[in-house]
Amino acid sequence: MNKYRIVPLAVVALAVLACGDRPQVAILEANKTSARQFFRDIDESRGSLEFIDNWMTPDFQSHFNNPDAMDLAAYRQFMSDALNAFPDMRHDIHYVVAENDLVALGITLHMVHTGEYLGVAPTGQSMAVEEIVVLKFANGKIVEEWGVLDFAALQQQLEAAATGEL
């Protein structure tokens, strides 16, 4: 074999090796950007559930503070209840980590209690709650969610606001 034919093949091989995981890195970055945008869309929804149709697949499942999965209809009701009680919710994202098709986020959720929630009448009080959310993406859509929200802290803040202890 001619030595001049080997050189172009070596250059191509080095270029492929140098690119390495760039397509995977691009997907990870796209998923991280999508996750951030998903929470911005919730924050800007002001009670509208349109973001669900834009982001979730029809077979979406959520495991939010519960090992039993919510389907899309149950998730829609869950978010409707939350946004009716806290229409101004704002997600402060502290970190975003991606691996394969998963994106994990550490979040502080800020909101004002303006509608009934968990049996507590609106108090008008500002509240902040920590949460960790993991989203599973497929083709730019969310197919599954695992979330842990500090419901104990939320309940304490609701009770304190309802009794005037804040």
Side-chain angles (χ1 to χ4, degrees):
M1 182 177 251
N2 186 326
K3 69 178 180 176
Y4 295 108
R5 289 187 190 159
I6 294 173
V7 172
L9 290 176
V11 170
V12 169
L14 286 173
V16 168
L17 289 174
C19 289
D21 291 336
R22 286 196 184 157
Q24 179 63 23
V25 169
I27 292 169
L28 294 176
E29 289 304 315
N31 286 347
K32 289 165 59 174
T33 298
S34 292
R36 286 185 184 97
Q37 186 60 52
F38 168 67
F39 285 102
R40 275 194 297 273
D41 288 355
I42 293 173
D43 294 348
E44 294 170 3
S45 71
R46 298 298 178 242
S48 167
L49 299 178
E50 187 176 320
F51 69 91
I52 293 173
D53 297 326
N54 294 337
W55 284 105
M56 278 52 182
T57 62
D59 60 344
F60 169 80
Q61 293 197 352
S62 175
H63 312 269
F64 206 89
N65 278 52
N66 191 334
D68 297 329
M70 284 186 274
D71 64 8
L72 191 57
Y75 182 78
R76 186 179 301 281
Q77 186 60 55
F78 169 76
M79 288 305 297
S80 176
D81 293 346
L83 288 168
N84 284 331
F86 308 101
D88 70 333
M89 66 173 60
R90 180 176 47 86
H91 296 81
D92 281 344
I93 298 173
H94 304 294
Y95 63 84
V96 181
V97 180
E99 180 74 23
N100 298 322
D101 56 0
L102 302 174
V103 178
L105 302 99
I107 298 169
T108 302
L109 179 59
H110 298 274
M111 54 205 168
V112 177
H113 182 217
T114 59
E116 184 177 325
Y117 194 70
L118 300 177
V120 178
T123 62
Q125 292 295 316
S126 295
M127 300 180 184
V129 183
E130 302 300 317
E131 71 180 318
I132 297 172
V133 177
V134 178
L135 302 172
K136 181 176 182 177
F137 283 88
N139 300 316
K141 296 277 190 168
I142 301 169
V143 296
E144 200 161 5
E145 169 193 56
W146 296 266
V148 179
L149 181 111
D150 189 349
F151 271 114
L154 177 59
Q155 287 177 319
Q156 286 176 335
Q157 291 176 66
L158 285 169
E159 290 169 10
T163 59
E165 295 177 18
L166 276 180

